[in-house]
């Protein structure tokens, strides 16, 4: 089931992003590659993380834009068109502190009602780590560099700029938690 989910997620994300938004597709592939690194931490949830990682930005696809808020648009697409697993849809909807951006956009209530935050802190943190340590081109980076890049790309006073600056303390704390958990993993070999 895990490999089927990952294969379906990859094909679905590729169909929506690869030709229309190649840079967003590269980012999604990089985020999914980061998810593989967390498999030892997540056990049975590793496949779910990989699927959420490759799908997290699917709502940017031009054909899916309804509200203009990619976590909500992507989650609705996955739920309504693909009848995707509820945990997967909720991860996509709430990735990387989306509730704070939804608040900036006047969509917090809609996001919370339709897609409550998943009650699995490690899995939620893991997706934040994957996203916030991957550049727009799919390369590894630090969370600090990623936040700086996002502010620079969107502008300090934009909706995204305001959101990311508000979320940055939580992003940095999340990345630290995941990196501490990774460091605590036993080393074999």
């Amino acid at each position: 089931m895990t490999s089927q989910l990952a294969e379906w997620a990859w094909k679905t994300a590729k169909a929506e992003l690869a030709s229309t938004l190649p840079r967003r597709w590269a980012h999604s592939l990089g985020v999914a590659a980061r998810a593989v690194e967390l498999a030892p931490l997540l056990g049975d949830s590793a496949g779910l993380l990989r699927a959420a990682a490759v799908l997290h930005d699917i709502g940017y696809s031009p054909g899916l834009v309804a509200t203009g808020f990619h976590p909500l648009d992507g989650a609705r697409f996955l739920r309504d068109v693909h009848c995707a697993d509820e945990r997967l849809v909720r991860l996509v909807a709430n990735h990387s502190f989306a509730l704070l951006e939804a608040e900036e956009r006047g969509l917090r209530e809609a996001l919370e009602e339709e897609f409550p935050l998943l009650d699995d802190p490690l899995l939620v943190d893991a997706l934040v780590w994957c996203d916030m340590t991957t550049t727009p081109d799919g390369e590894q980076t630090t969370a600090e560099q990623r936040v700086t890049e996002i502010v620079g790309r969107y502008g300090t006073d934009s909706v995204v700029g305001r959101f990311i600056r508000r979320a940055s303390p939580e992003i940095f704390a999340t990345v630290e938690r995941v990196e501490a958990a990774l460091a605590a993993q036993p080393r074999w070999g």
Side-chain angles (χ1 to χ4, degrees):
M1 179 70 167
T2 299
S3 65
Q4 288 175 331
L5 177 62
E7 184 178 326
W8 168 82
W10 189 86
K11 285 180 180 178
T12 302
K14 182 180 182 189
E16 294 298 332
L17 298 173
S19 64
T20 58
L21 298 170
R23 192 171 190 214
R24 187 68 57 186
W25 175 235
H27 170 71
S28 297
L29 290 175
V31 173
R34 297 293 281 173
V36 172
E37 296 177 50
L38 299 182
L41 289 177
L42 295 170
D44 292 343
S45 295
L48 179 59
L49 176 63
R50 284 194 311 274
V54 78
L55 289 166
H56 80 286
D57 277 351
I58 198 167
Y60 278 115
S61 175
L64 307 183
V65 174
T67 67
F69 181 46
H70 77 278
L72 186 57
D73 293 341
R76 285 176 173 169
F77 168 74
L78 293 170
R79 177 193 65 197
D80 300 344
V81 174
H82 290 283
C83 301
D85 175 86
E86 180 186 359
R87 293 178 67 206
L88 173 64
V89 172
R90 287 167 63 186
L91 280 167
V92 169
N94 288 286
H95 75 272
S96 300
F97 301 99
L99 280 175
L100 293 176
E101 186 175 346
E103 190 175 298
E104 290 279 339
R105 295 174 178 273
L107 294 169
R108 185 177 177 124
E109 188 175 307
L111 185 62
E112 284 180 314
E113 284 181 15
E114 285 185 60
F115 306 105
L117 188 62
L118 196 62
D119 187 22
D120 189 336
L122 181 57
L123 193 53
V124 171
D125 281 1
L127 186 54
V128 171
W129 181 85
C130 294
D131 187 22
M132 289 294 138
T133 62
T134 305
T135 70
D137 297 311
E139 303 298 322
Q140 291 183 17
T141 190
T142 66
E144 292 80 3
Q145 290 170 330
R146 177 83 161 115
V147 167
T148 299
E149 181 277 322
I150 291 169
V151 170
R153 183 164 26 115
Y154 288 94
T156 304
D157 294 326
S158 69
V159 169
V160 175
R162 289 190 308 270
F163 144 71
I164 203 72
R165 286 184 295 118
R166 279 182 59 207
S168 63
E170 290 299 322
I171 291 167
F172 300 151
T174 299
V175 167
E176 285 180 22
R177 282 192 301 272
V178 172
E179 290 177 353
L182 275 172
Q185 285 292 299
R187 304 275 184 221
W188 300 99

